[in-house]
Amino acid sequence: MARVETFYEVLRRHGVSRRSFVQFCSLTAASLGLKPAFAEELAQAMQVKPRIPVLWLHGLECTCCSESFIRSAHPLAKDVVLSLISLDYDDTIMAAAGEQAEQCLEDVRREYKGKYLLCVEGNAPLADDGVYCITGGRPFVEQLKDYAADAMAVVSWGSCASWGCVQAAKPNPTHAVPVHEIVRDKPVIKVPGCPPIAEVMTGVISYILTFDRLPELDRQGRPKMFYGQRIHDKCYRRGHFDAGQFVEAWDDDGARQGWCLYKLGCRGPTTYNACSTVRWNDGVSFPIQSGHGCIGCSEKDFWDNGPFYERLANVNLFGAEANADGWAKGAAAVVGAGMAVHAGISAVVRLRDKERHDTHLPPKGGTP
Amino acid sequence: MATDTVKLPERPHEHAMDAVGTEPVRPVMSFYVYEWPVRIWHWLTALLVVALSLTGYFIASPPASVAGDTSALFTFGQIREWHFIAAWLLTIGVVFRAYWAVVGGEHARLIYYVPFWSKQWWSDVFLVVKWYLFLNKGEKWVGHNPLARASMFGMFTLGSLAMVVTGFGLYAEQAGVDSWLRGAFGWTLSLFGSSMALRTWHHAGMYLLLAFSAIHLYAAVRDDIMGRVSTVSSMISGWRTFRDFHDE
Amino acid sequence: MSTTTPNGFTLDGAGRRVVVDPITRIEGHLRIEVNVDEKNVIRNAVSTGTMWRGLEVILKGRDPRDAWAFTERICGVCTGVHALASVRSVEDALGVTIPAQANTIRNILSLALYVQDHLVHFYHLHALDWVDVVSGLKADPKATSELAQTVSPRWPKSSPGYFKDLQTRLKKFVDSGQLGPFRNGYWGHPAYKLPPEANLMATAHYLEALDFQKEIVKIQTVFGGKNPHPNWLVGGVPCSLSIDGAGGVGAINMERLNLVTSIIDQSVDFIEQVYIPDLLAVASFYKDWASLGGGLASKSLLSYGEFPQIAGDDSNKSLLLPRGAIIDGKLSELHEVDLKAQDQVQEFVTHSWFKYADETKGLHPFDGVTEPHFAVGPNTKGDPKKKLEAIDESAKYSWVKAPRWKGHAMEVGPLARMVIAYMAGNTQVKELVDGALKKLDVPITALFSTLGRTAARGLECQWAAHQLRAEHHKLIAGLKAGDSSTANVEKWDPKHWPKKCQGVGYMEAPRGALGHWIVIEDGKIQSYQAVVPTTWNGSPRDAAGKIGAYEASLLDTPMADPKQPLEILRTIHSFDPCLACAAHVVGPDDEEVTRVTVT
């Protein structure tokens, strides 16, 4: 096995000066929300760290995670792929195909047993022994199990791998399940979103390499640093929310003034993600800034918490569907009618009984 | 026996109704059922449920937008703040009431469990159901009748607890991921899967409590008339009076 | 023993079977099997889509206004195309006309995708089929610089030092033994024809393009809030335009418009200074590929047309790229395409893992059925649930359905669009195509090939970048004239909807013709069906045995070494496959998904 280059060596080899290297480290530290002192630690770490082999598998997905990944501005996707990690398998960009591609998987597993990072985009359908996603001639679920077994840790890219996403929306015809329901004996870092923000993806990867540990996760297994707050908590339109200034209809005056999209179903208040702070595509915008409410794409089961343009999610009961207010109207009608009928009968019974008023039973002392 | 959690009061209190003396003495059988802390708690809770439902409804379906200087306005924030204040008060009430169930009178414990293992209880429930279906003349119960007790327990005691817990789950979201509130209630997010689902069920819980309140109100008024037993006034005076019992 | 298909291709499955699975550098999961004769020439080809997600079943019963978000997730590479087809289908069903400015913004969103997607395809999905990265190590940096300055005189990154530096880094990278995405590539394969200098230059541009592509999509971010998967809206676009007053900072304002202008300028530059010169340079070394990989291209082409200039008008007087079909190789005869006509677009499942009551017939998407039925034929080698060795194409063999236009297997994509526009007399397209053919000194028939497909994509990218600028100017002109409406909300509320209605949404995705068919009943989706570009191109055989575009294009291609399937990759990649799109979708059927059986 060839000696593994450190990140610093790679950068130097790429013609990056010591000075720019230190600058890069400060920027990365800043983008991770870390104190300036960490920049030094980062610089130190990168000079001695080898490039970590990464296998990036694809299950049932739409490749939006890969597409997002290559949008990363800091660090550039190019630098991550060529300098930070050794992306030894990723069927979306790798040169080799067929047997030669499969060989890469095998080789890395053998050479770097327990030392490689397994990134998973998409998820595995379990119905009918996994025939809904076959790769290399066998069900994807088998590939996932195989390569997770020898991995150091697993990164679940996007909502597919983290929660199931669109193919797992009701009725989930292929029985697609998220990665952590298949890989149970390895640390799994969920990086949800459809897709996740590019700089969040590269931020998670560089955190692991820089600090030599997995990021701190919340109860749901997401890195706290990016998923610890709701979009709403840092939304620039929050002032309009508190004021009670809402967009009432598309392209109304409120919309043109950038009022709060709450009434049009914005899921910002229920969505944990960094969109309102990191923003998208090098900070250009994020959904709310461009006039559409958040649809909650980094949340579990967000597809089944629609309709997206309603504040209240539909709930399916007894084969019918309505939101809580709808069900309440129905229930109120039933309960109200029931009470009215019961009251009517009660009145009749009471009038009838009034004459023969003969109750002399002793009270039961609340004996149950 | 465990099922006999509430016994007959030791001495039925006899109201002397002969104050003026022109009428024959008609003693009425009365029992002291609701201690004063329970009564205060009851009416406070009723008030808070109304306040929480109103503000809660508006949080889900905000009123029309307000024009004006954004930085000077806090309309929606105000609605939410009232909701939070009312929620804290309700929570204090829930905690206090549970405490009172332990230290208070025997009736105070009734709505904290249901003796579903007791045959007697089931047959009593059956009697009450028949009464509500006009199939018998009904029995007299000093505390809640067994059916009422079950619905109080299921819909109110557990319902209000669920509302407090899910409510704090939502409240903890704004407190941040490392807050003690999140530590204490963050599990609700995992339980329901997402913040959105948690909201949905918290919202649905409001309707459950309102439905309970409506039925509760109806049954109380009806019992007052049909069962000839004081209900609404009992919750003011504390005394339950059976108007049909008097010495001839 | 060879057979001839009804669409005129000769198949012979007698020779050695070669399997390529996974096909990499595409979207999704695709398996290609071919039979080669004793001279290693491909005589039979089988294309198997190996994934299915069942979005059709999932969409049923949902709010039609949400459908765009679900269908957008069919594909994250050509992000937004399904969303656009979806909102158009709902608008068609409900009879909603969007505002002119919304139409322009939608065109801007789509054109930005064309530019970015074609660029990424060429450099990051396709280039390694033509460019031997490792050979660049042998290049003379000075000669490389001269080459670069000859092909793109105005591109600044072309000094000998620049290439020298790149080469040094490349050398160390290769020497490290950790080749990452270049690991196990076909380096040194005899089919690589570029001189080392061209390889080094292309490698430099591979990296530059990777940096630049992320800029182009910022246009989608401006109007749609994010990319991939920007936001759309039934009735218009969700972003508001506000260039005056206090609202200016809450909507699309002057700063946003300037950002878009600047990105468009950079895009036009990159495409004209880097992409097109590279394309022509590479093509000039691979002219033999101008006669390979044609398949259906010279016979049957289909385009639904795109970029309406009049909101809500999808006739050819409104569409910049025309709608039409070419069949039987009669280029001058452009057939009218009607997406609602029962006898035009139909899908067959005879060889697909789905079940129809009568599989000899195709079904129009409004009547489509999607009932998965996994079963492999008796001659299958290996077990698909453990390890599939070779598929049996005489039975069902793909998760992709077989769509046909009036019974014809069709090729869709940039080549189809460019040829149809050319034949319809689009002067801009004519100029671009003629210019490229002249520079390469090849006849027009060279278009019907692997190289032609790749070239058409590049030319379309260039056209799209200029058109993007034109649409942006139109947006600004509209604002100047006081038009800032972006949404028609008259029918937003479902209480204004008819009890039952149905509609079609068309879209020319970067990969080709895309259609969504929706039936709405009581405010909910009663049925949804999408027929997508890769369903057309990656189609398996139909009831009559007609083969699809992938299979047809691979035939008669000689392979240098069947163990190193570079030639297969070249042709398949020239289509830019997208399997998540192809194998998805939607039936108006009331049936539940049935159990899958393996026979």
Side-chain angles (χ1 to χ4, degrees):
Chain A
M1 192 179 104
R3 190 183 82 82
V4 181
E5 268 187 301
T6 69
F7 179 69
Y8 177 68
E9 282 168 332
V10 172
L11 282 182
R12 289 292 290 157
R13 157 159 76 65
H14 280 211
V16 175
S17 69
R18 167 84 206 168
R19 192 191 149 94
S20 344
F21 174 68
V22 172
Q23 265 172 359
F24 166 84
C25 293
S26 330
L27 273 175
T28 306
S31 77
L32 290 169
L34 302 167
K35 290 189 202 84
F38 277 102
E40 207 172 317
E41 189 179 326
L42 182 60
Q44 183 57 34
M46 286 192 168
Q47 289 175 61
V48 293
K49 296 268 151 55
R51 279 162 67 213
I52 186 172
V54 171
L55 301 181
W56 186 315
L57 305 182
H58 296 252
L60 284 186
E61 41 88 320
C62 76
T63 315
C64 71
C65 299
S66 291
E67 284 284 343
S68 185
F69 188 83
I70 64 171
R71 312 283 194 262
S72 178
H74 48 267
L76 287 167
K78 174 181 79 179
D79 292 335
V80 177
V81 171
L82 299 179
S83 310
L84 205 55
I85 60 174
S86 184
L87 187 58
D88 291 318
Y89 183 94
D90 178 353
D91 35 330
T92 305
I93 66 159
M94 68 193 301
E99 272 176 37
Q100 289 81 12
E102 298 274 281
Q103 195 62 47
C104 294
L105 282 173
E106 264 315 300
D107 290 348
V108 169
R109 179 162 69 163
R110 205 182 51 246
E111 291 168 24
Y112 297 94
K113 198 171 167 129
K115 288 181 189 144
Y116 64 87
L117 200 59
L118 186 75
C119 293
V120 186
E121 181 173 354
N123 53 25
L126 299 186
D128 305 301
D129 303 322
V131 297
Y132 296 101
C133 186
I134 301 173
T135 181
R138 60 193 193 127
F140 170 68
V141 62
E142 299 302 323
Q143 188 188 45
L144 175 60
K145 281 182 194 161
D146 271 11
Y147 294 101
D150 290 329
M152 173 182 89
V154 180
V155 178
S156 287
W157 285 141
S159 292
C160 287
S162 299
W163 308 126
C165 207
V166 68
Q167 58 269 17
K170 283 171 193 157
N172 191 355
T174 61
H175 191 197
V177 296
V179 168
H180 64 272
E181 288 183 23
I182 291 171
V183 181
R184 294 178 183 278
D185 56 347
K186 297 279 165 180
V188 175
I189 303 161
K190 296 195 189 98
V191 187
C194 188
I197 300 169
E199 287 79 13
V200 165
M201 298 177 80
T202 53
V204 168
I205 292 282
S206 30
Y207 182 98
I208 297 172
L209 302 183
T210 307
F211 301 112
D212 228 359
R213 59 170 185 252
L214 302 179
E216 199 183 332
L217 307 178
D218 69 1
R219 278 177 210 259
Q220 273 100 340
R222 306 168 292 197
K224 273 188 190 173
M225 58 184 160
F226 296 120
Y227 296 93
Q229 285 185 314
R230 297 170 301 170
I231 286 167
H232 187 62
D233 295 323
K234 291 281 159 70
C235 182
Y236 81 112
R237 296 191 181 192
R238 178 65 190 256
H240 295 294
F241 172 85
D242 287 331
Q245 296 179 316
F246 304 103
V247 178
E248 305 278 345
W250 298 106
D251 201 28
D252 67 1
D253 279 346
R256 292 181 187 192
Q257 295 192 49
W259 283 5
C260 175
L261 291 157
Y262 188 75
K263 279 192 177 179
L264 294 178
C266 179
R267 300 291 195 256
T270 54
T271 303
Y272 289 83
N273 207 337
C275 301
S276 53
T277 42
V278 175
R279 305 200 182 199
W280 281 81
N281 306 98
D282 206 4
V284 166
S285 184
F286 72 112
I288 295 164
Q289 189 180 342
S290 292
H292 194 286
C294 163
I295 64 168
C297 75
S298 55
E299 286 291 300
K300 185 168 185 266
D301 302 331
F302 74 100
W303 296 106
D304 293 326
N305 278 323
F308 295 136
Y309 301 105
E310 301 289 341
R311 200 55 264 149
L312 294 166
N314 273 358
V315 179
N316 199 316
L317 294 172
F318 322 115
E321 202 175 60
N323 63 25
D325 286 354
W327 283 114
K329 269 182 211 158
V334 171
V335 171
M339 287 196 306
V341 170
H342 199 258
I345 300 173
S346 300
V348 172
V349 170
R350 181 169 156 72
L351 282 176
R352 198 190 60 198
D353 286 358
K354 198 143 195 183
E355 295 92 59
R356 26 198 186 108
H357 192 45
D358 55 357
T359 332
H360 276 281
L361 301 167
K364 286 200 152 187
T367 311
Chain B
M1 207 174 106
T3 52
D4 289 325
T5 50
V6 177
K7 300 189 187 76
L8 271 168
E10 279 163 17
R11 47 166 186 83
H13 176 91
E14 295 194 353
H15 265 289
M17 299 294 279
D18 57 344
V20 185
T22 50
E23 292 233 75
V25 176
R26 287 172 63 97
V28 180
M29 205 185 241
S30 288
F31 305 93
Y32 189 60
V33 179
Y34 302 115
E35 296 140 305
W36 66 266
V38 173
R39 301 195 309 268
I40 292 176
W41 166 81
H42 173 272
W43 293 111
L44 190 67
T45 300
L47 194 72
L48 290 172
V49 166
V50 171
L52 284 163
S53 299
L54 268 176
T55 51
Y57 180 80
F58 280 120
I59 288 171
S61 311
S65 294
V66 247
D69 179 8
T70 309
S71 53
L73 288 165
F74 194 61
T75 312
F76 197 57
Q78 193 63 66
I79 294 174
R80 294 175 66 245
E81 201 177 333
W82 287 331
H83 191 78
F84 300 146
I85 293 169
W88 271 111
L89 291 176
L90 184 89
T91 307
I92 293 169
V94 165
V95 173
F96 165 77
R97 184 62 182 79
Y99 162 77
W100 196 257
V102 178
V103 303
E106 312 199 45
H107 289 285
R109 276 187 278 283
L110 275 183
I111 61 167
Y112 281 85
Y113 72 97
V114 174
F116 57 86
W117 57 85
S118 148
K119 259 195 195 138
Q120 177 63 44
W121 183 77
W122 282 104
S123 79
D124 285 349
V125 167
F126 191 61
L127 277 178
V128 179
V129 169
K130 276 176 103 173
W131 183 62
Y132 279 118
L133 293 175
F134 311 103
L135 297 175
N136 65 20
K137 295 267 172 249
E139 304 282 341
K140 304 292 170 194
W141 315 89
V142 173
H144 302 300
N145 75 47
L147 188 64
R149 179 179 175 183
S151 74
M152 298 257 176
F153 174 74
M155 290 175 83
F156 183 77
T157 309
L158 293 185
S160 58
L161 188 69
M163 289 304 272
V164 166
V165 169
T166 53
F168 271 93
L170 294 170
Y171 190 63
E173 293 196 281
Q174 61 195 42
V177 72
D178 294 317
S179 63
W180 70 268
L181 269 171
R182 194 64 173 276
F185 296 98
W187 56 272
T188 51
L189 280 174
S190 314
L191 181 72
F192 286 86
S194 67
S195 167
M196 189 67 193
L198 184 56
R199 260 172 187 68
T200 302
W201 290 106
H202 186 68
H203 193 81
M206 165 180 84
Y207 289 118
L208 182 84
L209 282 189
L210 287 180
F212 165 78
S213 305
I215 295 168
H216 174 63
L217 206 64
Y218 169 73
V221 172
R222 183 181 179 275
D223 277 16
D224 214 322
I225 301 166
M226 293 286 286
R228 300 192 46 76
V229 53
S230 73
T231 51
V232 182
S233 61
S234 305
M235 198 42 95
I236 296 168
S237 68
W239 287 89
R240 169 136 301 154
T241 306
F242 294 89
R243 291 196 288 277
D244 289 343
F245 295 104
H246 47 82
D247 299 330
E248 295 290 313
Chain C
M1 41 148 249
S2 62
T3 53
T4 301
T5 70
N7 53 345
F9 296 93
T10 305
L11 301 176
D12 185 348
R16 190 175 142 208
R17 189 78 147 188
V18 175
V19 178
V20 191
D21 183 7
I23 294 282
T24 52
R25 280 180 282 129
I26 60 162
E27 199 294 324
H29 300 283
L30 176 68
R31 175 185 181 94
I32 296 287
E33 298 187 18
V34 298
N35 291 85
V36 293
D37 64 15
E38 63 285 356
K39 287 181 185 143
N40 289 337
V41 176
I42 296 172
R43 294 301 180 198
N44 178 37
V46 182
S47 150
T48 301
T50 55
M51 66 189 284
W52 182 72
R53 294 195 292 159
L55 288 185
E56 60 287 351
V57 185
I58 291 162
L59 273 165
K60 216 177 124 98
R62 304 206 183 238
D63 189 327
R65 294 169 300 178
D66 289 357
W68 68 261
F70 285 80
T71 58
E72 187 171 50
R73 269 70 184 183
I74 290 173
C75 184
V77 176
C78 45
T79 181
V81 303
H82 290 279
L84 178 52
S86 178
V87 294
R88 278 178 178 165
S89 73
V90 177
E91 285 154 7
D92 183 45
L94 300 176
V96 176
T97 305
I98 64 167
Q101 292 286 59
N103 182 63
T104 304
I105 292 173
R106 284 183 181 181
N107 284 345
I108 291 173
L109 284 164
S110 303
L111 285 160
L113 175 72
Y114 266 53
V115 174
Q116 187 262 355
D117 199 33
H118 286 353
L119 186 75
V120 167
H121 176 263
F122 180 73
Y123 283 104
H124 308 114
L125 303 181
H126 201 17
L128 299 180
D129 299 335
W130 312 102
V131 175
D132 182 341
V133 176
V134 177
S135 140
L137 295 177
K138 291 183 291 213
D140 170 11
K142 203 155 165 277
T144 311
S145 165
E146 278 160 21
L147 172 71
Q149 282 165 11
T150 317
V151 296
S152 21
R154 274 181 44 218
W155 193 244
K157 292 179 174 175
S158 64
S159 71
Y162 177 69
F163 291 111
K164 172 86 193 144
D165 180 51
L166 172 69
Q167 195 182 39
T168 314
R169 288 189 274 150
L170 203 58
K171 187 168 184 326
K172 282 195 183 155
F173 186 79
V174 171
D175 290 346
S176 79
Q178 279 190 301
L179 269 89
F182 305 127
R183 189 182 179 114
N184 257 5
Y186 306 104
W187 319 126
H189 191 289
Y192 281 124
K193 297 279 168 57
L194 294 184
E197 286 72 24
N199 282 320
L200 185 61
M201 179 182 78
T203 305
H205 294 165
Y206 175 103
L207 297 175
E208 285 173 39
L210 190 55
D211 285 350
F212 183 65
Q213 53 82 28
K214 73 176 196 305
E215 301 302 312
I216 309 169
V217 299
K218 288 179 181 171
I219 296 174
Q220 285 205 340
T221 313
V222 165
F223 297 106
K226 71 197 253 267
N227 170 284
H229 296 335
N231 291 310
W232 300 74
L233 184 71
V234 167
V237 289
C239 59
S240 286
L241 299 168
S242 180
I243 45 167
D244 293 305
V249 289
I252 302 300
N253 56 21
M254 199 64 232
E255 177 269 334
R256 302 270 100 178
L257 293 172
N258 285 341
L259 176 58
V260 174
T261 306
S262 134
I263 297 167
I264 293 172
D265 291 346
Q266 293 171 53
S267 302
V268 171
D269 261 8
F270 196 92
I271 288 155
E272 294 192 336
Q273 297 305 313
V274 184
Y275 182 4
I276 298 299
D278 279 357
L279 174 67
L280 295 174
V282 169
S284 65
F285 287 95
Y286 289 103
K287 284 190 191 170
D288 48 333
W289 283 86
S291 55
L292 289 171
L296 294 179
S298 59
K299 294 171 186 278
S300 329
L301 299 169
L302 174 69
S303 166
Y304 294 164
E306 190 49 88
F307 308 116
Q309 296 303 292
I310 305 160
D313 183 349
D314 61 355
S315 70
N316 276 351
K317 77 173 180 344
S318 163
L319 296 172
L320 278 182
L321 294 176
R323 175 177 294 184
I326 289 171
I327 48 172
D328 301 325
K330 290 177 191 147
L331 294 180
S332 53
E333 206 181 324
L334 199 60
H335 296 265
E336 255 185 57
V337 172
D338 178 358
L339 299 180
K340 287 181 180 165
Q342 286 285 328
D343 62 335
Q344 296 203 1
V345 178
Q346 292 187 334
E347 287 192 300
F348 292 80
V349 297
T350 326
H351 291 279
S352 312
W353 285 314
F354 299 97
K355 201 153 77 178
Y356 280 0
D358 177 2
E359 294 189 359
T360 60
K361 293 202 175 69
L363 293 176
H364 183 267
F366 273 142
D367 311 314
V369 172
T370 301
E371 192 184 329
H373 176 74
F374 187 82
V376 291
N379 298 323
T380 301
K381 289 189 187 130
D383 178 355
K385 293 181 178 180
K386 293 201 179 77
K387 180 73 186 172
L388 177 65
E389 305 295 339
I391 199 89
D392 176 3
E393 67 270 25
S394 70
K396 290 180 181 289
Y397 67 90
S398 179
W399 280 119
V400 178
K401 288 182 180 178
R404 297 292 181 259
W405 185 77
K406 288 191 173 175
H408 298 270
M410 310 294 279
E411 176 173 333
V412 300
L415 178 61
R417 281 194 293 264
M418 290 294 102
V419 170
I420 288 169
Y422 187 101
M423 291 305 162
N426 181 316
T427 48
Q428 292 170 314
V429 170
K430 237 170 132 60
E431 205 176 295
L432 280 172
V433 173
D434 287 340
L437 292 172
K438 194 159 164 254
K439 269 186 202 148
L440 287 172
D441 190 25
V442 288
I444 189 157
T445 51
L447 281 174
F448 309 119
S449 65
T450 295
L451 194 62
R453 226 171 264 123
T454 299
R457 184 172 295 109
L459 299 175
E460 187 177 71
C461 184
Q462 190 182 0
W463 174 86
H466 284 281
Q467 194 55 43
L468 185 55
R469 184 179 272 159
E471 294 283 340
H472 190 49
H473 286 166
K474 207 164 81 187
L475 176 69
I476 293 167
L479 280 169
K480 222 170 182 173
D483 183 1
S484 59
S485 165
T486 57
N488 174 356
V489 293
E490 274 168 40
K491 292 200 177 159
W492 176 254
D493 192 329
K495 66 175 180 252
H496 303 307
W497 299 356
K499 187 170 165 41
K500 187 167 181 175
C501 54
Q502 60 181 36
V504 183
Y506 69 98
M507 203 283 153
E508 270 296 321
R511 286 157 186 78
L514 165 67
H516 284 202
W517 284 258
I518 191 171
V519 181
I520 301 170
E521 198 173 354
D522 296 325
K524 306 249 187 241
I525 296 172
Q526 195 254 323
S527 115
Y528 204 102
Q529 179 94 18
V531 181
V532 317
T534 301
T535 320
W536 287 100
N537 288 338
S539 147
R541 292 151 205 207
D542 60 24
K546 287 189 287 274
I547 61 175
Y550 288 180
E551 294 182 358
S553 67
L554 288 170
L555 297 174
D556 306 326
T557 302
M559 293 182 75
D561 173 8
K563 278 196 143 333
Q564 306 225 318
L566 194 56
E567 295 86 352
I568 294 178
L569 292 178
R570 279 180 183 169
T571 295
I572 291 299
H573 284 156
S574 73
F575 287 97
D576 193 1
C578 181
L579 268 292
C581 286
H584 49 279
V585 183
V586 192
D589 51 320
D590 288 308
E591 296 134 275
E592 287 298 305
V593 176
T594 55
R595 292 284 87 185
V596 168
T597 55
V598 176
T599 55

